[in-house]
Amino acid sequence: MQTKPRTRYYCSVTVRTDADEEATSEPNYFETAKQEEPWIAKWITCDNAEPRHPIFCKTLPYSDIAAARLYICGLGLYEATLNGEKIGNEYLTPYCNNYNRWLQYQTYDITTALQKGGDLQITLGNGWYRGRFGFQRGEKLYYGTGWLLLAEVHITHTDGSEEIIGTDESWQVRRSNITFSTIYDGEHCDATLPELPVTSAAFAQPPKGSLTARYSVPVQPFATLTPALLHTPTGETVLDLGQNMAGSFTLRVEVPAGQTVRLQWGETLQNGNFYRDNLRTAKAEYIYVSDGKPAVLAPKFTFYGGRYVKVEGVPDLMAEDFTPLPLSSTLERIGTLTTGHELVNRLIENVWWSCRDNFIDVPTDCPQRDERMGWTGDAQLFAPTAGYMLDTVPFYTKYLHDMATEQADCNGKVPNVVPSFGMQGCSSVWGDAAAIIPWVVYEQFGDTAILDAQYDSMKSWVDYITRVDSDCCRWREEFHYGDWLALDVAGAAPDNTKGATDDAFIADVYYMNSAEIVAAAAKILGKGEDITVYTELASRLRKRILQEFYTPTGRCAVPTVTGYLLTLRHHLVDTARTAADLRKKLTQSHNKLQTGFVGTALLCNVLSENGMHNLAEQLLLNEEYPGWLHEVKLGATTIWERWNSLDENGQISSTGMNSLNHYSYGAILEWMYRHLAGLQPLTPGFTSVHIEPTPVWKLRRLDCSYRSAAGLWAVQWQCADANTLTLAVTVPFGCTAELILPNWNGEITDNPIFADSQNGICRLKPGRYAVTYTTARPLHITLSAANTIAELLNDQTASTVLTKMMPGITQLPARLQGMPLASLMRSMGHTDDAALNHLNQVLAAL
């Protein structure tokens, strides 16, 4: 469809149902941008020596207005107002990208506002473009040094005539009361400053990047929080927002002229007092000097991360005067999941919040300290989870576009962070985001457009590794993060970051996987030659991996949990043998987590797919260190960067690299959708789905909905009692499902859909289905002294009982933990049947 620039098009959708009935949607519209249309406006600037942030001003004609649009890009950041009212409801425009390669402008409908008056003012801040950011210390600016503005107002009058008003030297420049702003350090505003003389704007050299219509979706408030007022033991006034968040705020104040109001943000309290040392050099503050008048403080050009806000200079502060504004890129929520387990539900909420807090235009690692960067490894490990919660297509489209522009400057290499801000380091897993994220988005949403747009990027990444690798396996010798933050290095210091899994093994496996993905994408896109090239490359790499990292008899020579997980995930050698080795390895660690970023994202999915679903359940439900619920019990409201970000006493474990809002380990939520709810696509976009729920007694119930590109899928299950399961499934119009009845007894006869199932496998057409049946085995496993010690210790409640009765039982060697508890007790001389009977009664009641 050929479209004209700056034109609104209306459309509606008509579908025919399977009952041969038609349904038509209400009309909707989209509006095109300037497209290839030339700009009348010119880039303008002002004196950069004056620290007070500039306000560019223009009076617009405002009579006889039929329609008006503002097209604008302001660097570093901009906020536009018309007649004193903010235009739009977006924050941090024009957002964060590789400014050296491309810039984006936004479009606003200002028709109604302009009909009321023509006072247009555009304030500029520093932001990512010209503020302190990245790992550059001091005040070195990476992208630009000057304030820059480009804007056009297109007006259609009621008589049909058109008028364009663009930025030029006729625009005036006033100075705001904002004296400082950066992403890391916050914002300063001095209301006592005098007016400065108005000056004229000056023409500026255009920035390096080419200008295009927006890729970024709007960053807007997405939730409401109600703060509480605290007074700490040291006398500080602190607001507790009740939730670790990222965003902005408003605060109503009325204090004497000349008084300074200061707000600082932090993630946790220590000994009841305000704390912020884990933010490192980020000041994360807002400073306001009052002119004595009532004011509403509202930062324009920064954002903060934390749960606690220390307030100084407001003697009669009331909690209701403070309004937190959690910010995130505006993406449609498409997935919800709840259970009957309070701690698990809080974990799900924690994943949700960490996702939203770190989806502020860029998929960041953390939103609070002096980092907040688009780490590629974190993004690719979490992408499948994000796609179960949100429509991530527009968000990743922008991020991947940025990634491709960075690669263009580096001959295919993917920097560890995107945008790079000059960081040129590269690592496996992290750089493999170039291939993995587009493939994940394609599988989840079914649109080949993402593959088409990113194919050159995907291919150039694999080609880059191939060049580095040469004929000497040199890719293995490069620096790699490996299984970052794993706990499996014996005797490691508490702040150790490197895992025990061979970095070279991980690098080779991901290299192979990326080559396989490029081959698969080439097949979908009809890239004939490339199919052969990358299929053969992947095959050679597979053989090389087998020769280097596996014994002649097929045993994995990288004997870590992550080594076994990668082996199983990529079907490298015999599944049964590797699964047995993995089970043994987990037993040696008492079925506790040891994995880092790479292994944790794979862990539970691989366990469930290889006959060890019970171990995955135990890992989820473990309330001791290390584990997801352990964090929840310590008060976490977001996902931590480290398993030990806080210790048992709530003390921060380290300050060098310790975020309490870091979504990587939130990848467990993908497993909950795929295996607890059982929603796994058989075809891209969920047009055909394999549904295999796995009810867990301790959860009692689960309610899952997922609004896929093909329609709404839903799965609910409930354990009515230890032998009765109720299951409900919804299949959307035009889709099919393969349902595996969990714990099926083979005797469902009162429901023809399920009675005709073959071995518990049902083929479902669109519709809603529900069934209640007696399970083949009890949903609640009764424990007794006949269970092995390992089995009993793997149960949280039983482990608590046993360790009280028999201190030191958890320290028994693995060979003894494989014995039935009764056998061990008898071998130690405990032959009293009454004692065993009592123990069995205690265990059975758990």
Side-chain angles (χ1 to χ4, degrees), residues 130-209:
R130 65 181 305 270
R132 179 173 87 93
F133 195 76
F135 288 134
Q136 318 242 12
R137 295 305 181 219
E139 295 303 318
K140 183 178 179 181
L141 308 179
Y142 181 70
Y143 286 109
T145 58
W147 281 301
L148 298 171
L149 176 64
L150 182 74
E152 275 185 5
V153 179
H154 287 245
I155 300 172
T156 302
H157 292 284
T158 52
D159 63 3
S161 63
E162 295 184 355
E163 186 175 2
I164 302 174
I165 299 169
T167 45
D168 57 24
E169 75 269 20
S170 70
W171 285 53
Q172 294 185 319
V173 181
R174 294 176 42 238
R175 293 292 171 168
S176 72
N177 290 331
I178 300 171
T179 59
F180 174 87
S181 70
T182 70
I183 298 296
Y184 291 157
D185 298 322
E187 191 167 304
H188 301 174
C189 180
D190 188 344
T192 68
L193 294 174
E195 289 285 338
L196 292 177
V198 175
T199 60
S200 296
F203 286 121
Q205 281 294 111
K208 293 180 182 178

Side-chain angles (χ1 to χ4, degrees), residues 587-588 590 789 808-819:
T587 299
Q588 291 171 353
H590 308 296
I789 297 164
I809 192 171
T810 59
Q811 305 305 315
L812 290 173
R815 61 182 179 81
L816 293 181
Q817 289 199 21
M819 295 176 60

Side-chain angles (χ1 to χ4, degrees), residues 786-832:
N787 287 95
T788 66
I789 297 164
E791 289 170 339
L792 293 169
L793 291 178
N794 287 337
D795 184 277
Q796 189 78 42
T797 312
S799 177
T800 302
V801 170
L802 288 179
T803 51
K804 287 182 180 178
M805 297 173 64
M806 292 173 263
I809 192 171
T810 59
Q811 305 305 315
L812 290 173
R815 61 182 179 81
L816 293 181
Q817 289 199 21
M819 295 176 60
L821 177 59
S823 298
L824 179 67
M825 293 177 67
R826 289 192 176 98
S827 72
M828 297 171 63
H830 298 286
T831 57
D832 186 351

Side-chain angles (χ1 to χ4, degrees), residues 410-584:
C410 303
N411 203 17
K413 180 174 72 171
V414 177
N416 288 324
V417 297
V418 172
S420 70
F421 290 88
M423 289 179 60
Q424 294 303 310
C426 179
S427 169
S428 62
V429 183
W430 275 246
D432 290 293
I436 293 172
I437 294 179
W439 188 253
V440 166
V441 174
Y442 163 67
E443 286 194 311
Q444 289 188 316
F445 297 95
D447 190 348
T448 60
I450 192 78
L451 298 181
D452 195 35
Q454 293 303 125
Y455 182 74
D456 288 343
S457 162
M458 299 163 74
K459 179 179 170 180
S460 67
W461 164 245
V462 175
D463 291 348
Y464 167 78
I465 305 175
T466 303
R467 287 192 300 274
V468 172
D469 200 54
S470 187
D471 297 323
C472 311
C473 303
R474 289 178 181 164
W475 180 236
R476 297 174 182 168
E477 300 170 10
E478 297 290 305
F479 169 80
H480 300 288
Y481 287 104
D483 196 18
W484 189 246
L485 296 183
L487 302 173
D488 54 358
V489 177
D495 59 351
N496 177 61
T497 57
K498 294 287 285 186
T501 307
D502 189 339
D503 290 354
F505 172 69
I506 295 174
D508 268 10
V509 171
Y510 271 83
Y511 178 18
M512 177 195 71
N513 182 48
S514 287
E516 290 174 339
I517 289 173
V518 172
K523 186 175 182 180
I524 290 167
L525 298 174
K527 312 279 187 181
E529 255 183 53
D530 286 352
I531 300 171
T532 302
V533 169
Y534 293 97
T535 300
E536 290 179 353
L537 172 61
S539 178
R540 291 196 303 273
L541 291 169
R542 182 174 291 269
K543 290 175 183 176
R544 187 175 92 178
I545 291 167
L546 293 175
Q547 289 171 352
E548 178 72 16
F549 298 106
Y550 294 87
T551 69
T553 58
R555 183 181 295 279
C556 179
V558 186
T560 64
V561 169
T562 296
Y564 297 137
L565 293 171
L566 286 168
T567 299
L568 291 167
R569 170 67 178 81
H570 296 283
H571 311 289
L572 288 163
V573 292
D574 178 66
T575 297
R577 181 173 190 172
T578 307
D581 287 341
L582 174 57
R583 186 186 293 271
K584 182 179 179 181

Side-chain angles (χ1 to χ4, degrees), residues 73 152 220 235 278-279 352 464 568 598 787 802 825 833:
C73 177
E152 275 185 5
Q220 296 174 322
N278 68 313
L279 274 59
W352 167 253
Y464 167 78
L568 291 167
V598 173
N787 287 95
L802 288 179
M825 293 177 67
D833 288 342

Side-chain angles (χ1 to χ4, degrees), residues 9-250:
Y9 292 88
Y10 291 85
C11 60
S12 60
V13 178
T14 300
V15 298
R16 184 171 294 278
T17 70
D18 51 0
D20 202 30
E21 297 175 346
E22 263 193 9
T24 301
S25 70
E26 291 294 322
N28 210 327
Y29 70 86
F30 66 90
E31 187 167 310
T32 55
K34 285 175 63 65
Q35 297 178 336
E36 301 303 318
E37 186 180 62
W39 285 75
I40 304 300
K42 304 297 181 183
W43 285 97
I44 57 174
T45 188
C46 62
D47 180 9
N48 292 321
E50 170 57 57
R52 291 170 63 174
H53 290 19
I55 305 173
F56 290 83
C57 309
K58 188 69 173 178
T59 300
L60 306 176
Y62 57 90
S63 59
D64 303 320
I65 304 296
R69 299 291 186 271
L70 169 65
Y71 302 90
I72 178 172
C73 177
L75 298 172
L77 302 175
Y78 72 83
E79 182 178 280
T81 64
L82 193 54
N83 309 313
E85 296 292 325
K86 181 175 176 177
I87 296 174
N89 187 32
E90 300 188 41
Y91 291 73
L92 306 172
T93 49
Y95 305 117
C96 177
N97 47 269
N98 179 10
Y99 303 105
N100 284 345
R101 277 282 181 167
W102 68 290
L103 309 166
Q104 53 183 324
Y105 65 89
Q106 287 73 42
T107 304
Y108 300 98
D109 182 346
I110 59 171
T111 306
T112 301
L114 187 56
Q115 289 168 345
K116 300 174 184 177
D119 180 17
L120 176 63
Q121 299 190 11
I122 302 168
T123 309
L124 298 187
N126 294 322
W128 296 277
Y129 179 77
R130 65 181 305 270
R132 179 173 87 93
F133 195 76
F135 288 134
Q136 318 242 12
R137 295 305 181 219
E139 295 303 318
K140 183 178 179 181
L141 308 179
Y142 181 70
Y143 286 109
T145 58
W147 281 301
L148 298 171
L149 176 64
L150 182 74
E152 275 185 5
V153 179
H154 287 245
I155 300 172
T156 302
H157 292 284
T158 52
D159 63 3
S161 63
E162 295 184 355
E163 186 175 2
I164 302 174
I165 299 169
T167 45
D168 57 24
E169 75 269 20
S170 70
W171 285 53
Q172 294 185 319
V173 181
R174 294 176 42 238
R175 293 292 171 168
S176 72
N177 290 331
I178 300 171
T179 59
F180 174 87
S181 70
T182 70
I183 298 296
Y184 291 157
D185 298 322
E187 191 167 304
H188 301 174
C189 180
D190 188 344
T192 68
L193 294 174
E195 289 285 338
L196 292 177
V198 175
T199 60
S200 296
F203 286 121
Q205 281 294 111
K208 293 180 182 178
S210 60
L211 191 63
T212 185
R214 68 183 306 150
Y215 274 72
S216 294
V217 296
V219 170
Q220 296 174 322
F222 72 93
T224 301
L225 297 175
T226 303
L229 191 61
L230 305 177
H231 296 286
T232 71
T234 57
E236 302 157 315
T237 299
V238 174
L239 291 159
D240 178 1
L241 311 185
Q243 170 64 53
N244 202 1
M245 59 155 274
S248 192
F249 68 90
T250 63

